[in-house]
């Protein structure tokens, strides 16, 4: 006979397995979209392509081209001759929504 404790363990194991499988499938779809992303060159045609896109945004594209540093390139301490730049990230929130539970925007 199966005890209630064993049924509880089996049920929780199945629930966790289902949750993890759902999360895995969701991330696998995102990875597939990224791998299928079109590769674009950084050239004079790129601004026109972005402005012609829906919402002036290109989701999941790979940009290929030469990056020039704003001031000076960063030199690697571990690999001689290897240089890099830091990408400046700007996050802009387009709208504010009032959260009545937390009483903030």
């Amino acid at each position: 006979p199966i005890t209630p404790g064993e049924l509880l363990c089996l049920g929780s194991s199945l629930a966790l397995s289902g949750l993890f499988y759902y999360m895995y499938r969701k991330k696998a779809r995102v990875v597939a979209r990224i791998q299928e992303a079109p590769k674009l060159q950084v050239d004079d045609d790129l601004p026109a392509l972005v402005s012609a896109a829906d919402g002036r945004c290109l989701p999941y594209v790979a940009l290929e081209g030469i990056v020039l540093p704003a001031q000076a390139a960063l030199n690697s301490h571990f690999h001689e001759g290897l240089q890099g730049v830091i990408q400046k990230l700007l996050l802009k929130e387009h709208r504010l929504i009032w959260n009545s539970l937390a009483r903030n925007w």
Side-chain angles (χ1 to χ4, degrees), residues 16-30:
L16 283 175
S17 295
L19 174 69
F20 290 142
Y21 182 71
Y22 168 75
M23 290 174 21
Y24 165 76
R25 295 297 301 160
K26 189 175 177 182
K27 297 299 178 184
R29 283 192 297 268
V30 171

Side-chain angles (χ1 to χ4, degrees), residues 59-75:
Y60 295 121
V61 295
L63 294 176
E64 296 176 342
I66 296 174
V67 177
L68 299 175
Q71 294 176 354
L74 301 172
N75 294 319

Side-chain angles (χ1 to χ4, degrees), residues 3 6 17 20 34 42-43 47 58 65 67 71-72 85 87 89 91 93 95-96:
T3 64
E6 290 173 339
S17 295
F20 290 142
I34 291 173
V42 177
D43 55 8
L58 297 172
V67 177
Q71 294 176 354
V85 295
Q87 176 185 359
L89 181 64
L91 178 64
E93 189 169 340
R95 64 180 181 165
L96 296 174

